[in-house]
Amino acid sequence: MPLYWHRRDLRVSDNCGLERAAAFDEPIVPVFVLDPTVLEHASPVRVACLCEALEALRARYRDRGSDLLVVRGEASAVLPELAADHGVETVVWADDYGGLARDRDRAVTAALEDAGVACEPVHDAIHHEPGSITPNQGEFYSVFSYFWKKWRDREKHAPVDGPTEDDLADPNGEPIPSPSALGFDEPESTPPTVTPTAARRRLESFCDANIYRYADERDVPSAGATSRLSIHLKWGTVGVRTVYDATDAAAERASDDDDRKSVAAFQRQLAWREFYVHVLAFNPETVTENFSGYENEIPWRNDPDELAAWKAGETGFPIVDAGMRQLRREGWIHNRVRMLVAAFLTKDLLIDWRKGYAHFRRLLADHDTASDVGGWQWAASTGTDAQPYFRVFNPSKQGREYDPDATYVREYVPELEDASADDIHGWHDLDPADRSSIAPSYPAPIVDHGDRREAAIAAFERARGDDD
């Protein structure tokens, strides 16, 4: 009898691990382990999402006459015990490529093998596993455009069928603990529903309409043209093959070349997600260390008051503050604004990207280590294929370009709801009396962007050794 260990694949359909477990032709025992070592790195919003997704997964199994075992304890301890209790000879799971996950899986593998239980890790979370798309020399690509060309042309596997009732055992599952029972407070934000049904509806809706607007409007935060699938890919409430298959079908339905190019633009973002997984798999230290080394240490200012203003959405730069408040409200930020707030923290405020990453990790419902580390190091000019250090986003210009009517800003910064778009985007140029008249409760800019831009460039040049 096989045991299937769910982790970041909280679904029964299009699950390569479950497909492999079903091949043993014996009833599968499904299990999820609430591992305290993993939960140490969790946050209230993510645990709330996890519990919701587990309840939905259990319902799917019960619809098939089975159940999901949810147990608490170190995975390396409880999985051998479960194997012994249920007469399990093989434990199957889907690979995870982060450093913490790999450490856990090595410990689990050793414990199971000591108990005489076979282990079968399966590739599932991305289309092409790390090490399968490589340059002529080296283990991974550090430039996305080269990775993209190979990823784009590499065959993508079709979605796989879910298990039938005959494939599954009927274990007696205990109630799933609540977030509070696991020691977590109520989250600050209200994230979207995280279930396979919600994922399917989101994917179908996106591929019916917005995918054809994606290329032109994905950078406009008020347009609603993005997929919002990141949270479902993070928790595995939808499979990557299902997503790609739906986008391919959308390309076939496209009415013209512009629509097809828009679908390709979205698929390119799926490739970015995998690119960062490949980078992290070969460089697990980049969670805490710069990917691109500098001759000298970057002289981060790390001003605590400025960091606090950034976290609170009180910097006096409206597009930045809107993004940070969206994060607190929804546990999610529009991708263009994610780049803007990260660039503002690391360049205008010259605060270490790791402090921003830690804040995102706590508040993002869709936090994914590979994508978030990759994105933060890109913005900080320390990562692979990163934004050059001398290109510093001007937040006011970015607001004018991507939120010209200030629709997004007004939604998340109510102090400015009666201000004109010109005043919002020109907030840094207004004199104090005008600011006080327009929005007395909204702060003045905490820094001068022009001055801080020059200071950031000089700081990075010193770190590079350019002034030696």
Side-chain angles (χ1 to χ4, degrees):
M1 177 179 288
L3 183 149
Y4 185 71
W5 177 23
H6 282 277
R7 291 107 69 80
R8 287 184 51 182
D9 56 338
L10 304 183
R11 64 186 185 278
V12 295
S13 299
D14 190 22
N15 187 319
C16 292
L18 279 172
E19 181 190 46
R20 174 66 190 119
F24 285 93
D25 290 328
E26 294 183 41
I28 303 165
V29 179
V31 63
F32 185 90
V33 179
L34 292 163
D35 190 322
T37 303
V38 177
L39 289 174
E40 283 178 8
H41 298 267
S43 69
V45 66
R46 295 206 310 282
V47 170
C49 291
L50 169 64
C51 291
E52 179 178 51
L54 286 175
E55 292 287 0
L57 179 61
R58 164 168 280 176
R60 293 296 176 98
Y61 276 118
R62 287 179 171 174
D63 287 345
R64 289 166 168 78
S66 181
D67 205 345
L68 174 70
L69 294 179
V70 177
V71 296
R72 299 175 68 171
E74 294 283 348
S76 58
V78 300
L79 287 172
E81 294 174 358
L82 285 171
D85 291 344
H86 293 275
V88 167
E89 298 179 352
T90 304
V91 177
V92 184
W93 65 79
D95 266 326
D96 195 345
Y97 302 107
L100 176 66
R102 287 186 162 186
D103 289 344
R104 173 199 59 195
D105 294 354
R106 281 190 286 268
V108 167
T109 298
L112 288 171
E113 289 178 348
D114 285 347
V117 179
C119 306
E120 289 213 21
V122 174
H123 174 65
D124 174 82
I126 55 178
H127 291 285
H128 311 296
E129 61 187 312
S132 64
I133 297 180
T134 60
N136 293 332
Q137 294 182 340
E139 297 174 305
F140 66 96
Y141 277 106
S142 60
V143 177
F144 172 73
S145 58
Y146 300 138
F147 177 89
W148 159 245
K149 289 176 183 177
K150 287 189 176 179
W151 187 94
R152 175 190 60 197
D153 297 334
R154 193 71 60 87
E155 180 183 1
K156 308 293 184 295
H157 293 297
V160 300
D161 293 333
T164 66
E165 184 171 337
D166 292 339
D167 293 324
L168 300 169
D170 185 16
N172 184 22
E174 297 293 324
I176 296 171
S178 66
S180 61
L182 295 171
F184 289 86
D185 297 330
E186 287 289 322
E188 296 179 49
S189 60
T190 305
T193 301
V194 190
T195 66
T197 298
R200 185 186 70 250
R201 289 173 179 167
R202 171 65 64 180
L203 178 62
E204 290 174 351
S205 173
F206 177 66
C207 288
D208 283 346
N210 285 347
I211 197 168
Y212 303 119
R213 300 194 294 130
Y214 187 80
D216 292 334
E217 299 182 26
R218 67 188 178 93
D219 283 330
V220 179
S222 64
T226 58
S227 72
R228 294 242 186 173
L229 287 168
S230 58
I231 194 168
H232 296 293
L233 289 168
K234 184 267 185 302
W235 292 107
T237 47
V238 67
V240 293
R241 292 156 299 278
T242 297
V243 172
Y244 193 86
D245 193 58
T247 65
D248 254 6
E252 292 177 2
R253 296 193 304 270
S255 58
D256 54 36
D257 285 344
D258 286 343
D259 283 354
R260 281 183 283 275
K261 288 178 181 177
S262 190
V263 174
F266 177 73
Q267 292 175 338
R268 183 181 173 91
Q269 296 304 306
L270 297 176
W272 266 108
R273 175 179 177 268
E274 295 202 10
F275 171 70
Y276 282 140
V277 173
H278 284 226
V279 172
L280 182 65
F282 288 103
N283 304 273
E285 74 283 356
T286 57
V287 175
T288 56
E289 299 176 14
N290 295 335
F291 177 87
S292 297
Y294 287 83
E295 183 175 326
N296 305 308
E297 289 293 322
I298 298 171
W300 303 112
R301 294 180 64 254
N302 290 336
D303 183 288
D305 293 334
E306 292 179 0
L307 176 60
W310 177 81
K311 289 180 177 180
E314 296 284 351
T315 69
F317 287 83
I319 190 75
V320 172
D321 293 340
M324 298 307 295
R325 296 184 192 193
Q326 182 180 32
L327 171 61
R328 289 210 317 272
R329 185 193 300 181
E330 300 175 11
W332 183 85
I333 311 180
H334 183 275
N335 188 56
R336 164 58 60 171
V337 186
R338 289 192 197 206
M339 292 190 293
L340 294 181
V341 301
F344 184 84
L345 183 77
T346 56
K347 301 298 175 57
D348 286 72
L349 304 185
L350 207 60
I351 289 175
D352 194 330
W353 65 266
R354 284 160 281 226
K355 295 183 181 296
Y357 169 75
H359 185 67
F360 269 34
R361 185 179 67 183
R362 185 173 70 85
L363 294 186
L364 279 175
D366 65 354
H367 165 70
D368 177 275
T369 300
S371 293
D372 283 354
V373 167
W376 270 101
Q377 293 223 42
W378 181 91
S381 301
T382 62
T384 177
D385 210 5
Q387 170 91 328
Y389 74 92
F390 50 81
R391 292 183 184 169
V392 180
F393 283 130
N394 182 321
S396 300
K397 288 183 178 178
Q398 292 284 315
R400 289 187 189 278
E401 182 171 359
Y402 297 110
D403 190 30
D405 297 326
T407 304
Y408 175 75
V409 166
R410 290 194 191 93
E411 180 175 358
Y412 295 100
V413 186
E415 303 98 301
L416 296 172
E417 63 184 354
D418 294 325
S420 70
D422 284 343
D423 286 341
I424 288 172
H425 298 311
W427 191 251
H428 59 293
D429 290 327
L430 297 177
D431 63 44
D434 286 339
R435 290 195 198 108
S436 180
S437 174
I438 294 166
S441 61
Y442 184 66
I446 62 172
V447 296
D448 180 281
H449 170 72
D451 291 345
R452 288 300 182 87
R453 176 184 180 276
E454 296 304 319
I457 292 173
F460 275 81
E461 287 177 346
R462 288 197 299 274
R464 287 162 48 89
D466 290 354
D467 57 354
D468 292 345

